[in-house]
Amino acid sequence: MLELLQLLKRKSEKLHLGGGADRITKHKEKGKLTAWERIFTLLDPSKPYVEIGKFAGDDLYPEHGGCPNAGVAAVMGYVSGRLCVIVSNDATVKAGAWFPITAKKNLRAQEIAMENRLPIIYLVDSAGVYLPMQDEIFPDKEHFGRIFRNNAKLSSMGIPQISAIMGSCVAGGAYLPIMSDYALIVEGTGSVFLAGSYLVKSSIGEVIDNETLGGATTHCEISGVTDNKFPDDEQCLAAIRNIVDKFGDQPKANFSRVAAVAPEYAPDFIYSHLPQDRLKSYDMRELIKAIVDAGSLEEYKTDYGKTIICTLARVDGWAVGIVANQREIVKAKKPGNANEMQMGGVIYSDSADKAARFIMNCNQQRIPLVFLQDVTGFMVGSRSEQGGIIKDGAKMVNAMANSVVPKFTFIVGNSYGAGNYAMCGKAYDPRLIYAWPTAQMAVMSGASAGKTLLQIQEATLKSQGVTLDETEKNKILSDIQQQYNEQLSPYYAAARLWVDGVIDPRETRNIISLGIEAANQNATVERYNVGVIQT
């Protein structure tokens, strides 16, 4: 675990360098703060924050020089005492140009603002769409244009949007700040226009410089496009804090909260409790005790469906319902007083049935849900199929998918196949979803996938009259497993925004607390309706 955490630390520190030390130097020579300096200037220094989309773009687009952290930093944190989402373009990465993953990360930040009704602040410093990849970012539903659609939707929902133009703001990107409620601009560095001076000249023959075309003076004194101009980044950011300070309060969802109590175990307990070998068993209950408030656990159906733990608890004072995969081998009572050994991390019919009922209870009682994933999937084989595992699994998925209370997911270890779905994977709209450095996510484990794919290749070659010897089989199996294991990495998932980031397990408690605090800002909790439940 300590080795994994060192890797996490090194990768995190590298992200703050954006496009590299040389580009940061050139950026600051223009009198600009970096993307992260702007964020930290805005945030309340004594309050917690959570990064959104950490490692997005990790190792993507190598043929284009890469796009570290998707070329944009995004956090959820407090500004003048108000919980906000902040999106800050990193102009040291390809001049802040938008790659496909940049659009996906911006959309994720807007989604979080919408779900929780949080004010969103855009710190704009971008050259616009990365033209060599325009076909992968421009025209589709979840591409660049969706950003401006969301600007309009956020406005219609009454969610405040503030933009600071702190660098280039070109073409379609010009609509983002101007569709915000407040549009501020920094003199000398900020500019906003639909077409830059070169394009204007080639299009209509007009010769004009960018500052006159779309600088601070033009838009504050002539066009009225921007509200106010500021001599530097610091004063512009101070104005944003001053604006947020004036926002009125909104109705709350009123999720239950009491005074917080420290966990029974120190957070570092997690490091020693999780076995290095992911095939070894461990007691998930003990791990939970390092996350929740001491003395707050109230388990549901303790002696039934033991491969899933369902328990009420409190995290930093907030009431939660926890659905977690138990990794110990357990004994299950069967009719006739028989015992059945059940493997940890596997969802059986009884555990799926229990989890479905618990999820429904939490929705009826307006208790946010936390999912702790270490799941290898649903139980297979004739006995399980005849026992109705598909029916019971569908019941659990139905109850979870239709959940109206906020859901938060953490991938502790394995996250394989339909187990990922039933335990609230990304497809099921968790408000936040993070992976621990120990996480692995795929349809199945590398070993299982390797053997399955090898069998398919063997059968194909056999039909062509080719027979493999053991050495050839082992070589193919090794190659398959190596490729597959790279895709299992939590950083592979984070790079593609299948999760919101990879975190130190000690951060789990803070993310749950801040996540529920954010969810509490949205007073609208719909009526719970699961539709047709399989019986």
Side-chain angles (χ1 to χ4, degrees), residues 131-301:
L131 290 177
M133 301 187 72
Q134 65 85 26
D135 61 317
E136 297 181 47
I137 185 176
F138 171 66
D140 209 349
K141 180 179 179 180
E142 300 296 331
H143 285 178
F144 196 52
R146 190 77 171 182
I147 300 291
F148 317 129
R149 176 262 188 194
N150 285 353
N151 286 142
K153 288 291 185 181
L154 283 155
S155 182
S156 72
M157 295 168 69
I159 298 171
Q161 299 176 84
I162 304 175
S163 286
I165 301 162
M166 313 184 90
S168 299
C169 189
V170 184
Y175 286 104
L176 184 147
I178 309 311
M179 292 184 75
S180 299
D181 302 306
Y182 299 87
L184 315 180
I185 189 167
V186 178
E187 292 180 282
T189 56
S191 60
V192 55
F193 34 66
L194 294 182
S197 56
Y198 293 125
L199 184 55
V200 167
K201 183 178 180 180
S202 64
S203 298
I204 64 173
E206 182 183 3
V207 178
I208 190 170
D209 63 89
N210 283 335
E211 182 64 26
T212 305
L213 183 66
T217 299
T218 295
H219 286 311
C220 285
E221 299 181 18
I222 301 173
S223 72
V225 165
T226 53
D227 303 337
N228 287 306
K229 58 186 176 182
F230 301 89
D232 53 41
D233 285 7
E234 288 86 351
Q235 292 186 59
C236 185
L237 295 167
I240 293 175
R241 287 184 55 83
N242 212 12
I243 291 168
V244 175
D245 176 62
K246 308 302 185 297
F247 289 165
D249 208 358
Q250 299 289 337
K252 301 291 191 293
N254 293 318
F255 298 120
S256 174
R257 192 179 198 185
V258 299
V261 177
E264 181 177 342
Y265 300 152
D268 289 0
F269 170 80
I270 294 169
Y271 301 162
S272 58
H273 185 62
L274 271 179
Q276 183 177 359
D277 183 351
R278 64 182 54 250
L279 296 177
K280 288 186 178 180
S281 63
Y282 66 90
D283 187 353
M284 179 65 85
R285 282 190 189 87
E286 295 296 288
L287 188 151
I288 291 171
K289 290 177 184 177
I291 298 171
V292 305
D293 295 10
S296 67
L297 287 170
E298 186 59 45
E299 193 166 343
Y300 176 75
K301 293 184 183 288

Side-chain angles (χ1 to χ4, degrees), residues 31-42:
K32 295 181 177 183
L33 298 177
T34 66
W36 278 105
E37 286 173 340
R38 289 166 176 167
I39 286 175
F40 290 133
T41 301
L42 268 184

Side-chain angles (χ1 to χ4, degrees), residues 477-505:
L477 181 60
S478 175
D479 290 344
I480 291 171
Q481 287 183 340
Q482 181 178 348
Q483 179 185 2
Y484 202 86
N485 285 334
E486 289 175 1
Q487 297 174 359
L488 286 168
S489 164
Y491 298 104
Y492 189 91
R496 290 153 182 80
L497 279 174
W498 301 343
V499 294
D500 290 319
V502 182
I503 60 166
D504 186 323

Side-chain angles (χ1 to χ4, degrees), residues 453-467:
L453 292 169
L454 176 60
Q455 289 175 27
I456 293 170
Q457 283 201 29
E458 273 193 282
T460 302
L461 291 170
K462 191 173 183 180
S463 68
Q464 299 169 357
V466 178
T467 302

